[in-house]
Each structure stands twice: as C-alpha cells, then as structure tokens.
Amino acid sequence: MRERISVRQICFILIAYNAASKLLLFPTTAASSVGNALVFTALFNLVLQTLIIWSVSFLSSRTDKSFFELLENTFGKITARIIFGFFALYFLVSAIVPMNEQQLLVHDSFYDTMPSLTVFLPFFIFAVYAGVKSFTNVGRCADLMLPVFVLCAGAFLIMSVGEADFTNLLPILTQPFTKVAGFSVSTLFRFSESAFLLMFMGHYKYKKGDAAKLTISYAAGGVVVIAIMAAFYGLYGALAPTRSFAISNISVFFPVIGFVGRIDLFLVYAFDMVALFAAVLNIQMSVHCLCKTFNRNWRILYSVCINAVLITVTFLANNNYTILQKLAGDWLWIPAVLFAYLIPVLAWALRRKTR
C-alpha cells in the first residue's frame, strides 16, 4: 500500500520543522559572520526556497504520481532507483548537522558541566525507532508538534520583544554585499525543505488551493525564524556571537525570570522536542529512499545502518564541533543546490503521462 500523508500535516511540517531546525545554531553563526545583517541572509534564502516550494507544490497539481513514478515513467526503473539512491545519501548527509546541533544543545542547555558522550546516545535509540516509520506516522507526529511549536515560539517572542533594542539592527545594509551573499550561499543547506516535499509528492491527495497553502505555510515558518533572529540580535547586539543557542538565551532578560528562576527552560525542553522530530525526518526520508532503491521494505535494516553511520560521525566529531560546522558551511551547499533547488525545478520536465 502507498504511504499516505495529508496536506494539512505537510503544512505543519513546513511551519514547525522548518523553523525549529533553523533556530538552534543558525542565529549565532549568522551573527558571527554578518553581524546585524543576519536577518537579510535568512530572508534571501527564505524567498528563494519558498519559490522552489511553490514550484513543487504546483507540480503536484499537475500529476497524482509520486516523484519515483515520474522518474520511472521518464527514465525507467533502474535509473529511478539510482537517483533515489543518491537522494538517500543526500538525506543521510543532511542529518549530520541537525544531529550535531542536537548534541550541542543537550550539552549546553541541560547540563552545568560538559557531560560524557554517552548522555547523547539515547538519541540514536529514538532515531532507529523513528526511521522505520511511514509517512503516515510522520504526519501524525507533525499534528502533535505544531501546537508545541506555536506555544514555544510565541512564548519566546513575548519574553524577548519587550526587552530587545532593535536599534542594534541599524544601520542596515552596511555589511559588504559579497560577505552577506557568500554567507547566504553557504547556508543554503539549511533551507532545503523542497527535497522533503519532493518525496511527499503522490502520497497526498491534492485539492485546489493546496499549492498556496503549502507555500504560505513554509513562508510563515520562515517569518518566525526571522522574527526570533531579529529579537536575538536586538537583545545581545555585538555580543550575539558569544551566545551559543538563541532559544536558550533569548528569554533570560524577561522580568519574571528574575523572580521565579529559569522557567523558560521548560520551553527550551519542549522546543528541543520539535527540533528532534525535525532532525530525524532526514533519517526517515533516507530510509524511504533506500526502500525504493533496493525495492525491499527492510526499514529496520536501513534505519540501523544509517544510524550506525551517524554514531560513527558523532564519535569522530566529538570535541571537533567547530570543524564540522565549517565543513558544513564550505561544502553542504553544493548537494543542497542540486537536490533541493535544481532537481525540484527540473522535475517539471519529467513525463507526467503514462507511456
């Protein structure tokens, strides 16, 4: 049976998972690289990816076939499997940075001293379990995570906006254009949700107006990212690069915190749960692609193998986080451009009618 997911659930993914995956280290790295121009880098990438999201959504209105079926109908089954094999590898690589940021958030926000690496290993138990789940389960999880995300994001903005000095964002456009553009390109891999939408094609029933709903949902998640990044820089200004995680530092100046303590940490815990589901979505997509590649529904085997690779990367990157983040910024934009920007547009050239 074909895996099913609803348009509503995809919209929730494009709102909640989209924003949650960008609000861990991205605000800090943006502030470190381009200063008060951080919102413009996010805005540029958001507009570009939103256009690609609309392209894939509109393509769904022109066919009820999945992306694999379009490839198979155009190039044949063997070529379609090979392409999905590359997508599986792409999603595996894309899971590395979110996984690493999860580890850093756990160590930085939830422990007073640096814990041992074994503290993070339960993540992989959950990741193996989540990796075997179908799109139907992915959608149900999105139904649960959206209210959590809305509550947390709303609370973070309420706690921070009143205390922020938005003049820290002025004067605008003073950073060199080449510097801002270069950082925007290097962070394209963080704005790559169109690859997920490409995998969802054919697994949901398209109705009139759904392309607009999907596009607006993605844009809405991006606006939340920009708003929190602006509040974060408004609070800390030039000191923003010294604060590792925006979500765990954005509410510390809220007056109530001084009387009752860090109650905002409960929000950080809840928000991290949304970011966790966003991170494992890459693993679930990689498993899905491997099922298509080998034409075998060995989800448990695929999930175990993928997580074995990620565990290996975790041990190799332990205490080498800066190097990993630099490698991601230097190289991950290349596969992102191919799999999340170029291929979704080229998908319009695929044969949508049966031979």
Side-chain angles (χ1 to χ4, degrees), residues 30-270:
S32 177
S33 298
V34 296
N36 65 346
L38 75 170
V39 294
F40 292 100
T41 61
L43 180 61
F44 171 79
N45 288 343
L46 172 64
V47 171
L48 185 59
Q49 179 64 187
T50 300
L51 292 174
I52 307 299
I53 290 289
W54 173 83
S55 176
V56 179
S57 302
F58 194 60
L59 177 59
S60 297
S61 69
R62 294 293 182 263
T63 179
D64 60 352
K65 297 182 182 298
S66 68
F67 181 53
F68 183 85
E69 290 170 336
L70 292 177
L71 291 171
E72 183 181 20
N73 198 36
T74 305
F75 303 113
K77 185 170 292 186
I78 300 300
T79 303
R81 290 181 180 179
I82 292 173
I83 293 174
F84 260 65
F86 282 111
F87 265 98
L89 180 60
Y90 166 72
F91 287 121
L92 170 59
V93 173
S94 297
I96 293 175
V97 170
M99 174 196 68
N100 176 248
E101 293 182 354
Q102 274 286 321
Q103 180 184 359
L104 292 177
L105 179 63
V106 169
H107 289 178
D108 180 80
S109 301
F110 304 149
Y111 292 89
D112 294 329
T113 58
M114 181 61 72
S116 65
L117 187 58
T118 56
V119 169
F120 184 67
L121 293 183
F123 165 85
F124 297 102
I125 299 175
F126 171 75
V128 169
Y129 172 76
V132 304
K133 296 302 179 180
S134 66
F135 286 168
T136 302
N137 182 268
V138 171
R140 290 170 180 168
C141 292
D143 283 331
L144 296 174
M145 290 299 105
L146 181 73
V148 177
F149 168 78
V150 171
L151 172 65
C152 294
F156 286 140
L157 286 172
I158 291 172
M159 290 180 175
S160 60
V161 168
E163 309 302 319
D165 180 7
F166 291 101
T167 60
N168 286 330
L169 296 169
L170 301 175
I172 64 173
L173 303 178
T174 57
Q175 298 286 345
F177 174 78
T178 54
K179 185 177 182 180
V180 176
F183 180 75
S184 297
V185 171
S186 69
T187 54
L188 281 174
F189 71 93
R190 295 185 182 276
F191 294 78
S192 57
E193 285 75 10
S194 55
F196 297 148
L197 194 55
L198 207 59
M199 296 297 111
F200 288 140
M201 271 187 62
H203 296 277
Y204 61 90
K205 185 178 181 180
Y206 185 92
K207 297 180 181 178
K208 185 177 180 180
D210 284 346
K213 294 177 184 178
L214 293 167
T215 306
I216 293 172
S217 295
Y218 185 78
V223 168
V224 172
V225 173
I226 293 174
I228 291 181
M229 290 177 70
F232 174 61
Y233 200 85
L235 283 169
Y236 291 100
L239 294 177
T242 66
R243 305 298 175 182
S244 300
F245 292 93
I247 61 169
S248 61
N249 289 279
I250 198 172
S251 56
V252 294
F253 297 112
F254 189 56
V256 176
I257 301 295
F259 294 98
V260 298
R262 293 297 305 275
I263 58 172
D264 60 311
L265 286 179
F266 291 104
L267 295 172
V268 178
Y269 279 115

Side-chain angles (χ1 to χ4, degrees), residues 99 120-134 137 276 279-284 287 298-311:
M99 174 196 68
F120 184 67
L121 293 183
F123 165 85
F124 297 102
I125 299 175
F126 171 75
V128 169
Y129 172 76
V132 304
K133 296 302 179 180
S134 66
N137 182 268
L276 176 62
V280 299
L281 183 59
N282 288 286
I283 298 173
Q284 293 168 322
V287 170
W298 297 336
R299 290 179 174 271
I300 296 178
L301 175 62
Y302 301 146
S303 185
V304 169
C305 291
I306 290 169
N307 280 281
V309 174
L310 295 177
I311 290 175

